[in-house]
Amino acid sequence: MKLKVEENNYEINIGQNIDQELKDYLSKNKNRKIALISDEYVYFIYRNRLHNILCDFDYDIFTFPQGEKSKSMKTYSEILEFLSENDYSRGDVILAFGGGITGDLAGFVASTYLRGINFIAVPTTLLSMIDSSVGGKNGINFNGLKNQVGTFYFPEYVHIDYSFLDTLKKRDLNNGLAEMFKYSVLKDKNLFEILKNNEKLDYEYLIHRSLEIKIEFVKDDIRDKSIRQHLNLGHTIGHGIEGLSKYEINHGEAVGIGLIYVSRAAYKLGIASEPFYKDLIEEFKKYNLPTEYDFKTDEILEIMKHDKKIKDNKINLIIPTEIGNTISKTLSFNELKNIIELGKEI
Amino acid sequence: MKLKVEENNYEINIGQNIDQELKDYLSKNKNRKIALISDEYVYFIYRNRLHNILCDFDYDIFTFPQGEKSKSMKTYSEILEFLSENDYSRGDVILAFGGGITGDLAGFVASTYLRGINFIAVPTTLLSMIDSSVGGKNGINFNGLKNQVGTFYFPEYVHIDYSFLDTLKKRDLNNGLAEMFKYSVLKDKNLFEILKNNEKLDYEYLIHRSLEIKIEFVKDDIRDKSIRQHLNLGHTIGHGIEGLSKYEINHGEAVGIGLIYVSRAAYKLGIASEPFYKDLIEEFKKYNLPTEYDFKTDEILEIMKHDKKIKDNKINLIIPTEIGNTISKTLSFNELKNIIELGKEI
């Protein structure tokens, strides 16, 4: 199943066991060198499959330790050095193979090495398949804050093979489902019903539908100044929780908790119904997703002060009103504080 | 005198003693914080003027040691840290005050901090006024190679006040004139005649005309894939010389020498006349610009292998045929080697 992102000139290919299609894609430019960037763990699991895909090409491998800690200025510099030492030129290509951390790191490298080198994303986690591999955002953590440094830069090709999900731990799979719930709350009642009722998940459909929703919000606002900010549903509080937990709570989980808090606050403000947030909690529990996190409001506000979309000391919060509908509110930090307090269970 | 760059949505303001106009521009967004980035030396010279311009705003100052050495991953990280520690948000603005090094460093920071923050360029050297402040390229040196890491990112406003040239050393002024000669060879016989005959240089006209030429080459090819590469005239060999001299030869000087070598080779290849390159040498001598540099061809080729525009082991060389005209040749490294040898004086 293919999805063309006309606006930014790239193609997303979704399928199962489609290594040959990646090979065919790479064969179109036989002369390019390929820099495979991956984390040690994912590379180790798939090393044979990767060598089969890449054996006909001139390629080099760079791996780094798995985990959020690698999304750093240090690893960024190391990858740049690796490319420079191996004489990579602008005509060559970086292939990111892994989850969101790999894609964000490799994408940032791709956008800045020689002011931009070709970039292919092969996401291997559900979360990166439906979120970070598409939309052009990349980055590293800096000064203790998430994604503080990065760019907007698009891959030329995104290869989504959901057979890679077979090796994913249950918790990591659910991490992706939380973000999928976010898409459903944003835009699609039907998707919510599917997630609610489905015994066996149809990944091809779910990934495709999630990306359709994402692309709709991104295409007219790449630089995240207006409509794209709706994708941030659950993220404002979620990023704070992720940070406070020192990434013990992973991204999808944290966004899920953020979504519940903001939905509960919406109910208390009288703009959403009670069953709405209670339904969410029930569904999250089914998927073993956490639904709360204990934090001090002032601590989380401290992290939010570094939100990338703050302007004139105001922050935009995306608030759901029902499944399939959200509004954007520009708030002072005092108003935000009240909403977070409302979001906590009493 | 104003120049609007419609394609990339920014304005260039050229004048003399126009501090008030900068102040007026900044007053349009009174709520933004301003991060002034400058080198220690330039900041020291202009600290009073700068404080007069900025006194009505909320601003912070970051300075770094003058010189090419500061165009590094280290200084880049330090500026990012400075912004993060001072809670700069995306709505705030970076103001680069200084020469090309300052603009390149601050521009790279601006394009990557929070995935892009507002950016104003106030170039203070002739070279940065007519070249690096316009066109969107930025970057740092890496792994011993020039501008290996950077992005394409446009300022929102370029403020060119040529009264800043008053404190420039003669050699640095001439450094800019070499790049101006390049523009004349590229596109404008009349500009060449003016540079040849003028006793007292009319900076307003010269800066304006140089930028017009630059913008013409940039506007349809921001990412430097075709027509923009003509601006590289003199740079292929020039970058090599700059590197070999460990930046003892400065950028404009090196480009000037590169221009002479490629013009002499063009004569020997029978595509340019003898008076053409001899004229150039004569003019350069009038301005105390160096016209040769002693190097081994293999050494310079080693540096050229890292040229950002290499594709499939071929490099594009821009060759002048007469004042106002250039051609682009795609060459193997062996062919390039021959041309460099031809360019040397025998």
Side-chain angles (χ1 to χ4, degrees):
Chain A
M1 197 182 265
K2 293 194 175 171
L3 235 162
K4 257 199 175 313
V5 190
E6 305 281 357
E7 294 78 10
N8 311 109
N9 197 28
Y10 67 103
E11 193 182 76
I12 306 165
N13 190 7
I14 307 167
Q16 193 175 23
N17 292 312
I18 49 172
D19 289 1
Q20 187 56 44
E21 291 177 39
L22 178 54
K23 222 168 159 166
D24 292 345
Y25 180 87
L26 294 170
S27 297
K28 288 188 211 164
N29 288 286
K30 273 231 155 221
N31 286 329
R32 307 199 285 194
K33 291 205 293 181
I34 301 167
L36 174 71
I37 316 283
S38 189
D39 75 56
E40 288 161 4
Y41 179 72
V42 175
Y43 173 72
F44 181 75
I45 298 176
Y46 289 109
R47 64 197 182 285
N48 291 328
R49 233 172 120 175
L50 285 165
H51 286 271
N52 279 332
I53 294 168
L54 297 171
C55 58
D56 294 340
F57 306 97
D58 184 1
Y59 73 102
D60 301 282
I61 303 163
F62 182 96
T63 61
F64 55 86
Q66 191 172 47
E68 193 77 27
K69 257 200 160 165
S70 287
K71 223 173 127 171
S72 63
M73 191 57 87
K74 183 170 166 280
T75 315
Y76 168 68
S77 296
E78 284 167 0
I79 302 175
L80 289 170
E81 210 172 308
F82 158 80
L83 296 172
S84 184
E85 294 290 342
N86 287 289
D87 294 339
Y88 271 74
S89 75
R90 237 190 227 171
D92 296 325
V93 62
I94 288 178
L95 192 153
F97 183 81
I101 292 167
T102 304
D104 279 3
L105 243 177
F108 184 41
V109 169
S111 72
T112 55
Y113 180 69
L114 305 179
R115 296 200 189 99
I117 166 172
N118 305 305
F119 180 49
I120 293 172
V122 184
T124 59
T125 63
L126 184 58
L127 184 60
S128 61
M129 288 178 186
I130 63 163
D131 189 7
S132 60
S133 68
V134 163
K137 284 188 186 177
N138 60 49
I140 55 174
N141 304 332
F142 188 80
N143 212 18
L145 296 159
K146 206 170 155 74
N147 298 331
Q148 284 278 294
V149 178
T151 66
F152 295 90
Y153 191 72
F154 290 93
E156 56 171 49
Y157 175 58
V158 182
H159 183 83
I160 300 179
D161 187 333
Y162 54 89
S163 72
F164 292 124
L165 300 180
D166 296 346
T167 57
L168 217 56
K169 292 184 202 106
K170 195 81 189 150
R171 183 180 169 195
D172 291 325
L173 205 62
N174 292 343
N175 187 30
L177 289 174
E179 194 84 37
M180 223 176 249
F181 269 108
K182 181 203 77 175
Y183 287 124
S184 74
V185 172
L186 257 184
K187 200 72 193 177
D188 191 342
K189 260 187 199 162
N190 184 42
L191 180 59
F192 186 79
E193 291 303 317
I194 290 172
L195 289 170
K196 204 168 153 175
N197 301 319
N198 227 348
E199 291 295 291
K200 192 174 161 0
L201 296 168
D202 173 358
Y203 285 114
E204 184 132 352
Y205 173 78
L206 290 173
I207 293 167
H208 186 264
R209 181 62 193 134
S210 296
L211 290 179
E212 270 183 344
I213 295 172
K214 173 146 190 181
I215 290 164
E216 203 181 315
F217 281 98
V218 169
K219 67 176 187 184
D220 296 320
D221 179 31
I222 292 160
R223 296 197 78 88
D224 210 3
K225 292 180 192 274
S226 56
I227 180 83
R228 181 172 184 165
Q229 296 193 5
H230 282 260
L231 291 171
N232 238 32
L233 175 63
H235 281 63
T236 311
I237 297 173
H239 275 160
I241 291 173
E242 234 183 316
L244 286 179
S245 80
K246 303 214 182 311
Y247 304 105
E248 288 286 315
I249 307 282
N250 61 33
H251 180 73
E253 291 170 348
V255 167
I257 300 172
L259 178 57
I260 286 171
Y261 277 58
V262 79
S263 302
R264 190 187 283 117
Y267 159 62
K268 291 191 191 161
L269 288 166
I271 57 177
S273 71
E274 191 169 11
F276 166 61
Y277 89 84
K278 291 200 163 161
D279 244 30
L280 272 179
I281 292 176
E282 201 180 316
E283 291 314 311
F284 278 29
K285 284 185 173 161
K286 272 199 222 161
Y287 286 103
N288 283 316
L289 285 164
T291 57
E292 51 189 323
Y293 183 76
D294 191 29
F295 60 81
K296 293 205 182 76
T297 305
D298 283 339
E299 280 178 347
I300 212 167
L301 281 170
E302 206 41 56
I303 297 185
M304 286 169 184
K305 282 192 183 136
H306 294 271
D307 186 284
K308 286 186 282 301
K309 285 171 279 289
I310 289 171
K311 220 182 151 179
D312 299 342
N313 275 312
K314 302 256 182 185
I315 191 164
N316 278 342
L317 187 71
I318 309 300
I319 306 173
T321 57
E322 59 181 327
I323 304 284
N325 218 355
T326 48
I327 56 169
S328 169
K329 276 263 189 202
T330 305
L331 304 172
S332 70
F333 277 91
N334 240 337
E335 292 168 318
L336 179 63
K337 186 177 175 167
N338 288 334
I339 289 191
I340 295 171
E341 290 287 344
L342 286 176
K344 288 185 181 179
E345 203 178 8
I346 342 155
Chain B
M1 196 182 264
K2 293 195 175 170
L3 235 161
K4 257 198 176 314
V5 190
E6 306 281 357
E7 294 78 12
N8 311 107
N9 197 27
Y10 67 102
E11 191 183 78
I12 306 165
N13 190 7
I14 307 167
Q16 194 176 21
N17 293 313
I18 49 171
D19 289 0
Q20 186 56 44
E21 291 176 39
L22 179 54
K23 222 169 158 164
D24 292 345
Y25 179 86
L26 293 171
S27 297
K28 287 186 211 163
N29 288 287
K30 273 230 154 219
N31 286 329
R32 309 199 284 194
K33 291 206 293 181
I34 302 167
L36 174 71
I37 315 283
S38 189
D39 73 56
E40 288 161 3
Y41 179 71
V42 174
Y43 173 73
F44 181 77
I45 297 176
Y46 288 108
R47 63 198 183 286
N48 290 328
R49 233 172 120 176
L50 285 165
H51 286 271
N52 279 332
I53 293 168
L54 297 172
C55 58
D56 294 340
F57 306 96
D58 183 1
Y59 73 102
D60 300 282
I61 304 163
F62 183 96
T63 61
F64 55 85
Q66 190 171 51
E68 193 77 27
K69 259 200 160 164
S70 287
K71 223 172 126 170
S72 63
M73 191 58 87
K74 184 170 164 279
T75 314
Y76 168 67
S77 297
E78 283 166 1
I79 302 175
L80 289 171
E81 209 171 308
F82 158 80
L83 295 172
S84 184
E85 294 290 342
N86 287 287
D87 293 339
Y88 270 74
S89 75
R90 236 189 228 172
D92 297 324
V93 62
I94 288 179
L95 192 152
F97 182 81
I101 293 167
T102 303
D104 280 2
L105 243 178
F108 184 41
V109 169
S111 72
T112 55
Y113 180 69
L114 306 181
R115 298 200 189 100
I117 164 172
N118 304 304
F119 180 48
I120 293 172
V122 185
T124 59
T125 64
L126 184 57
L127 185 60
S128 61
M129 286 177 187
I130 63 164
D131 190 6
S132 59
S133 67
V134 164
K137 284 188 186 177
N138 59 49
I140 55 175
N141 304 332
F142 188 80
N143 213 17
L145 296 159
K146 207 170 153 73
N147 297 333
Q148 285 278 294
V149 178
T151 65
F152 295 89
Y153 191 73
F154 291 93
E156 56 171 49
Y157 175 60
V158 182
H159 182 83
I160 299 179
D161 186 333
Y162 54 89
S163 72
F164 292 124
L165 300 179
D166 295 345
T167 56
L168 217 57
K169 292 185 201 108
K170 193 83 189 148
R171 184 179 168 197
D172 291 325
L173 205 62
N174 293 342
N175 187 30
L177 289 173
E179 194 82 38
M180 225 176 248
F181 269 108
K182 182 204 77 175
Y183 286 124
S184 75
V185 173
L186 259 184
K187 201 73 194 177
D188 193 342
K189 260 188 196 158
N190 184 42
L191 179 60
F192 187 78
E193 291 303 316
I194 289 172
L195 288 170
K196 203 168 154 175
N197 300 320
N198 228 348
E199 290 295 294
K200 191 172 161 3
L201 298 168
D202 173 358
Y203 284 114
E204 185 133 352
Y205 173 79
L206 291 173
I207 293 167
H208 185 264
R209 182 63 193 133
S210 297
L211 291 179
E212 270 184 345
I213 296 172
K214 172 146 190 182
I215 291 164
E216 202 179 316
F217 282 97
V218 170
K219 66 177 188 184
D220 296 320
D221 179 31
I222 291 160
R223 295 197 80 89
D224 210 3
K225 291 179 192 273
S226 56
I227 181 82
R228 181 172 184 165
Q229 296 193 4
H230 281 260
L231 291 172
N232 238 31
L233 175 63
H235 282 64
T236 312
I237 298 174
H239 275 158
I241 290 172
E242 233 184 317
L244 286 179
S245 80
K246 304 214 183 309
Y247 305 105
E248 287 286 315
I249 307 281
N250 59 34
H251 180 72
E253 291 171 347
V255 167
I257 300 172
L259 178 58
I260 286 171
Y261 276 58
V262 79
S263 302
R264 191 187 282 118
Y267 158 62
K268 291 189 191 161
L269 289 167
I271 56 177
S273 72
E274 191 169 12
F276 166 62
Y277 89 85
K278 291 200 163 162
D279 244 32
L280 271 180
I281 292 176
E282 201 178 314
E283 292 313 311
F284 277 29
K285 283 185 172 160
K286 271 199 220 160
Y287 286 102
N288 283 315
L289 285 165
T291 58
E292 52 189 324
Y293 184 76
D294 191 29
F295 60 82
K296 292 206 181 78
T297 305
D298 283 338
E299 279 177 348
I300 211 166
L301 281 170
E302 205 41 55
I303 296 186
M304 285 168 185
K305 282 191 183 135
H306 294 271
D307 187 284
K308 283 185 285 300
K309 285 170 280 287
I310 289 172
K311 219 181 151 179
D312 297 342
N313 275 312
K314 302 256 182 184
I315 189 165
N316 278 343
L317 186 70
I318 308 300
I319 306 172
T321 58
E322 61 181 323
I323 305 283
N325 218 353
T326 47
I327 56 170
S328 170
K329 277 264 189 200
T330 306
L331 304 172
S332 70
F333 278 90
N334 240 337
E335 292 167 318
L336 179 64
K337 186 176 176 171
N338 289 334
I339 289 191
I340 295 171
E341 290 288 344
L342 285 176
K344 288 185 180 179
E345 201 179 11
I346 341 154

